[in-house]
Amino acid sequence: MSPYLVGREKVREFARATSSTSSLALDPEAARAAGFADVVAPPTFAIVVQEHTLQQLLSEPDAGIDFSRVVHGDQRFAYTRPIVAGDELTATLTVASVKSLGGHSMVTAESVMVDGAGDHVVTAISTLVVRGDE
Amino acid sequence: MSALEVGQVVAEKTYTLTRDSLVRYAGASGDFNPIHYRDDVAASVGLPGVLAHGMLTMGTAVQPVVAWLESADGPGIGAWVTDYQVRFTRPVLVDPETGADVTVVAKVGQLDADAKTARVDLTVTFGGETVLGKAQVRVAWA
């Protein structure tokens, strides 16, 4: 799987879409003045990279997941450092657990994202609830 | 910069999420699940209407904290969000005309002044009910 290249305009687009007023996320000059190479992504930006990884996994014909039955249960992001435009992130997705609960399945997936040097940037943990037939 | 205390409200803000916000977020995030923009699809899976992406609510709810961290009232230089988690407890139904008002109150839940870290707890409500559970933002500064 090729790395996800974090683009400046993608970061700004995502920041605006989540009502950010952060000058570090929106203004490259402000980000540089604060010591970053480029704009700093908002705290939930890692979901874009995870979404990208999940799409590849879930579009496999044998995944057998009906998206209209998938509900997001919970989400967490644990960072070692913020994501900055220019980062090349590689995500490794693992299914940490699958539990059955009253006809529903709860899937906990973990994406560990590292930068071009192989250093940890963020781990995104998602619990998805797949509703059974009612 | 002022001394932080547990229980202190560091940010409070109301956002109006409209159908425009959902379309914008779909494009920005790559999440094109049609339950977030098509009433007919939402109805066909038994939903009362188009819902905001949980991740839009999560992403928006942290912004008052980010603004506080970058402000002169923030806890310190280089303050940033090291960890952020939520549980999606109730959907946010977005009316096609009036949207949905989502209110965020951010309060210091835990503080370690020596380690220069804090946990900020978010109370996120829509229509008087909480929509995110265990919404915790961990922050650190230099």
Side-chain angles (χ1 to χ4, degrees):
Chain A
M1 199 176 291
S2 57
Y4 179 93
L5 173 59
V6 179
R8 177 192 290 171
E9 296 306 339
K10 192 69 192 174
V11 167
R12 286 154 50 109
E13 180 192 8
F14 188 88
R16 287 191 295 265
T18 50
S19 299
S20 172
T21 56
S22 163
S23 58
L24 296 181
L26 296 166
D27 178 2
E29 290 307 318
R32 274 188 217 111
F36 295 98
D38 206 321
V39 289
V40 179
T44 61
F45 184 83
I47 201 70
V48 177
V49 186
Q50 181 170 283
E51 191 73 36
H52 187 77
T53 313
L54 272 175
Q55 290 305 332
Q56 289 174 310
L57 179 84
L58 300 177
S59 63
E60 300 280 332
D62 58 357
I65 293 178
D66 173 2
F67 268 106
S68 67
R69 294 190 176 278
V70 177
V71 179
H72 205 166
D74 48 57
Q75 181 67 41
R76 179 175 183 188
F77 301 100
Y79 283 91
T80 302
R81 67 159 175 87
I83 294 173
V84 175
D87 281 340
E88 289 197 27
L89 300 177
T90 301
T92 305
L93 185 85
T94 51
V95 174
S97 73
V98 180
K99 282 180 212 153
S100 285
L101 201 79
H104 306 317
S105 310
M106 283 178 61
V107 180
T108 301
E110 204 177 274
S111 300
V112 176
M113 301 180 200
V114 299
D115 61 19
D119 293 326
H120 181 262
V121 177
V122 58
T123 297
I125 304 155
S126 312
T127 300
L128 306 173
V129 182
V130 185
R131 292 182 294 152
D133 293 315
E134 265 126 77
Chain B
M1 253 174 260
S2 52
L4 269 190
E5 282 172 34
V6 172
Q8 187 182 336
V9 173
V10 292
E12 192 165 1
K13 195 160 175 169
T14 296
Y15 295 92
T16 303
L17 300 181
T18 63
R19 292 288 175 91
D20 289 22
S21 317
L22 307 197
V23 171
R24 203 176 276 268
Y25 186 76
S29 67
D31 181 347
F32 293 104
N33 187 331
I35 65 162
H36 303 302
Y37 54 89
R38 278 183 55 178
D39 292 275
D40 58 331
V41 173
S44 77
V45 295
L47 295 170
V50 161
L51 309 180
H53 307 73
M55 286 306 306
L56 170 58
T57 306
M58 182 183 188
T60 304
V62 75
Q63 292 303 337
V65 177
V66 173
W68 166 66
L69 293 177
E70 287 183 26
S71 75
D73 297 327
I77 307 271
W80 69 294
V81 172
T82 59
D83 193 299
Y84 179 30
Q85 64 174 319
V86 308
R87 175 154 296 168
F88 301 101
T89 53
R90 210 174 260 118
V92 174
L93 199 62
V94 181
D95 183 90
E97 285 178 17
T98 56
D101 287 342
V102 174
T103 299
V104 183
V105 179
K107 198 185 268 192
V108 178
Q110 212 177 65
L111 178 67
D112 187 337
D114 294 331
K116 297 182 175 174
T117 60
R119 193 191 77 218
V120 178
D121 297 336
L122 307 181
T123 304
V124 183
T125 52
F126 161 65
E129 295 193 288
T130 302
V131 293
L132 298 179
K134 209 191 171 195
Q136 301 181 338
V137 189
R138 290 179 192 275
V139 302
W141 57 95

